Amino acid sequence: MKGSTNGRSPGRLAVTLGGIPLQNPVLLAAGTAAYGDELDDVTELDALGGLVTKAVSLDVRKGAPAPRVAEFPGGMINAIGLANPGVEEVRQAHLPWLATHLRRARVLVNVVGNQVDDFARVIERLDEVDGKDGYELNVSCPNVKAGGMEFGADPEALTQVVRQARAATARPLFVKLSPTLTDIAAAAQRALDAGASGLTLVNTFPGLVIDVERRRPALGFGTGGVSGPGLLPIGVLATWKVWKATRAPIIGVGGITSATDALQYILAGASAVAMGTAGLRDPRQPQRVVRELERWCDAHNVTELSSLTGTLEWQR
């Protein structure tokens, strides 16, 4: 895949993310664009910096019972259950589609597992296939073999997941961390020490929405992951904490609906941002955010958006 400018102001929005050149910093977050083809007739994927695919596991996952998504005034809650067709279908059908249909947008494959070595095994099956530029490791899923603790919350499991994934590929690896971690900066540093190229901050926040008429959870699974505007301050703070501690490449994600939201993440230390809930509500909104960033740069005489990363003026 080739990097390119977007044709409006060549290079001004261009950023480099863990060695991956992006024409602009706006990505579609994991789970919101499937594997690209579902949005092909709805939005111009090549106008964005890139996308993160839906989760990929070793085997087919049917996912959580319906309903899987519910809205509430502060955003959205979902329990998809990491439903996906498994690594073989992604390898044979979805990555080849991405390789032939995207010219400028870059692709990260979101990888999940039930046990430590699942992540590396997925990567091994995908690494020689065109259609992607790197991987995002979702370490917020439970380590079934170790009693269900999240990989990211277990220092040894986190280290082993990243170390084995790094041994399986030379491509960039981004580790997606949960906002519930007690010390997210320490977890980020642990992932970097094990071989990660950067971090994705943050994953959804666990919550419960109740249908008061039925007196039952709104989701079939019960609890779910909270996303949307309410997650924005949580993600921005996590980004600032990790940036201060590591200076590593960061994808900021959580609650982004506008250029102003994206700029908060960038000022806090993000090199790029990923949009989820806003893109689900309106698949063309990420393109609008790219245009808003152009106008903001015009108004503020910014010639390189990347120069703003981590420039928040706040000493603590």
Side-chain angles (χ1 to χ4, degrees), residues 35 53-62 82-98 109-114 117-130 132 135 168:
Y35 303 100
T53 72
K54 190 176 182 178
V56 182
S57 57
L58 276 174
D59 301 311
V60 176
R61 287 196 183 188
K62 294 183 178 180
L82 302 174
N84 75 93
V87 68
E88 290 308 317
E89 182 173 325
V90 173
R91 171 188 169 88
Q92 295 174 27
H94 296 297
L95 286 185
W97 186 93
L98 289 164
V109 174
N110 183 275
V111 180
V112 297
N114 287 327
D117 61 357
D118 283 356
F119 294 82
R121 291 173 65 194
V122 169
I123 291 171
E124 287 168 354
R125 296 297 298 148
L126 299 179
D127 208 45
E128 297 307 315
V129 182
D130 290 337
K132 46 71 186 74
Y135 302 94

Side-chain angles (χ1 to χ4, degrees), residues 257-275:
T257 63
S258 66
T260 298
D261 298 338
L263 286 162
Q264 288 194 56
Y265 274 102
I266 291 168
L267 292 172
S271 298
V273 297
M275 296 179 63

Side-chain angles (χ1 to χ4, degrees), residues 168-184:
T169 184
R171 299 177 190 273
L173 289 173
F174 288 83
V175 176
K176 189 172 189 177
L177 296 176
S178 169
T180 63
L181 293 173
T182 303
D183 190 342
I184 198 166

Side-chain angles (χ1 to χ4, degrees), residues 53 113 117 131 167 185 220 292-293 304:
T53 72
D117 61 357
E292 288 175 8
L293 285 170
E304 292 184 0

Side-chain angles (χ1 to χ4, degrees), residues 40-84:
D40 190 41
D41 295 330
V42 180
T43 190
E44 186 184 352
L45 293 174
D46 261 335
L48 304 177
L51 64 91
V52 185
T53 72
K54 190 176 182 178
V56 182
S57 57
L58 276 174
D59 301 311
V60 176
R61 287 196 183 188
K62 294 183 178 180
R68 293 177 170 182
V69 177
E71 291 190 271
F72 66 99
M76 184 182 83
I77 187 168
N78 80 86
I80 308 299
L82 302 174
N84 75 93

Side-chain angles (χ1 to χ4, degrees), residues 282-294:
D282 182 351
R284 294 182 176 87
Q285 185 60 20
Q287 288 177 249
R288 296 189 189 102
V289 170
V290 174
R291 294 193 291 270
E292 288 175 8
L293 285 170
E294 284 279 0

